[in-house]
Amino acid sequence: MTPTRSTILRAALLGTVLALTFAGAARAQSRAPSEPEASARSAATLRGRHSLSLGVGLLASADVAPGVASVHGVAGGISYLYWPGAAVALEVSANAHAAEARSAVSASVTSLLFGVSWYPELSSAAVVRPYVGVAAGPYVGSEADGFRASASARSVLGARLGGGVDLFPTHALRLGVRGAYHLVPDFDAPVGSLESASGPQLSLEVGWVFGRGG
């Protein structure tokens, strides 16, 4: 698909927010103490731990017209993370990309992604953790027609590239901002008015962190 002006503006906004976020995180890391015991605590904070998180998209747009309601952009999702090491997280996430409803006809696009993220050890501080990551998996477009009592689904494989910053204010709480771009081939036929799930993502996430770690 040819990028629209709206997509280009959203991507520019995404880049600006990420740049400011990473700059703030790096500044916070530079002010952190560097005692060896703090570094050991940092390594133990995430290694072997798990997290369940909910995300809310900040770039999703909603339109309501007579007989038609739609949401486009990553509206939100749920994710599970596991840190096998202090600097690496494995992730499984389910996301809602778009939804439309008109009369008895509805359409939606969702994804199920499997990914890995890397948390660079910028300092010994464990509270603020920037990361970069990649994920891939199926993007599924579904349509249901209540008049014809029919339903259809089609899927393509795509990828998400991006990163963000996680904040761990307590041992059991994760707050994060994620910026990413979804690279997805076009569906073989439009899903509602959507031909592809490609586009930017900017979201806020809150999660429960559990597990003893090590």
Side-chain angles (χ1 to χ4, degrees):
M1 293 178 60
T2 302
T4 64
R5 182 178 181 183
S6 176
T7 298
I8 293 173
L9 290 175
R10 287 182 176 184
L13 173 62
L14 172 63
T16 302
V17 171
L18 280 178
L20 293 174
T21 303
F22 276 103
R27 190 177 300 112
Q29 296 280 4
S30 66
R31 296 172 181 169
S34 57
E35 292 85 351
E37 58 271 22
S39 181
R41 289 197 302 270
S42 172
T45 298
L46 296 178
R47 182 185 293 116
R49 305 204 73 204
H50 312 257
S51 176
L52 288 175
S53 302
L54 293 175
V56 177
L58 300 181
L59 295 182
S61 60
D63 298 300
V64 178
V68 181
S70 63
V71 176
H72 294 274
V74 181
I78 184 171
S79 61
Y80 163 76
L81 293 95
Y82 170 66
W83 287 270
V88 176
L90 305 179
E91 178 184 9
V92 179
S93 64
N95 306 279
H97 294 262
E100 289 185 347
R102 61 181 72 212
S103 300
V105 180
S106 62
S108 64
V109 177
T110 58
S111 65
L112 180 62
L113 304 180
F114 304 85
V116 59
S117 297
W118 174 60
Y119 292 74
E121 188 67 25
L122 299 183
S123 80
S124 59
V127 175
V128 180
R129 300 295 302 272
Y131 66 90
V132 293
V134 60
Y139 291 73
V140 181
S142 304
E143 288 184 288
D145 189 333
F147 288 126
R148 300 178 181 178
S150 63
S152 62
R154 41 195 164 281
S155 64
V156 294
L157 291 178
R160 181 190 69 198
L161 307 175
V165 175
D166 281 348
L167 174 68
F168 298 90
T170 71
H171 194 63
L173 180 63
R174 168 182 173 261
L175 303 174
V177 56
R178 182 196 297 269
Y181 198 90
H182 294 261
L183 300 171
V184 189
D186 290 356
F187 293 110
D188 56 6
V191 178
S193 64
L194 197 70
E195 296 180 357
S196 171
S198 290
Q201 172 185 354
L202 180 63
S203 58
L204 295 178
E205 301 177 349
V206 56
W208 170 47
V209 183
F210 59 97
R212 297 185 61 183

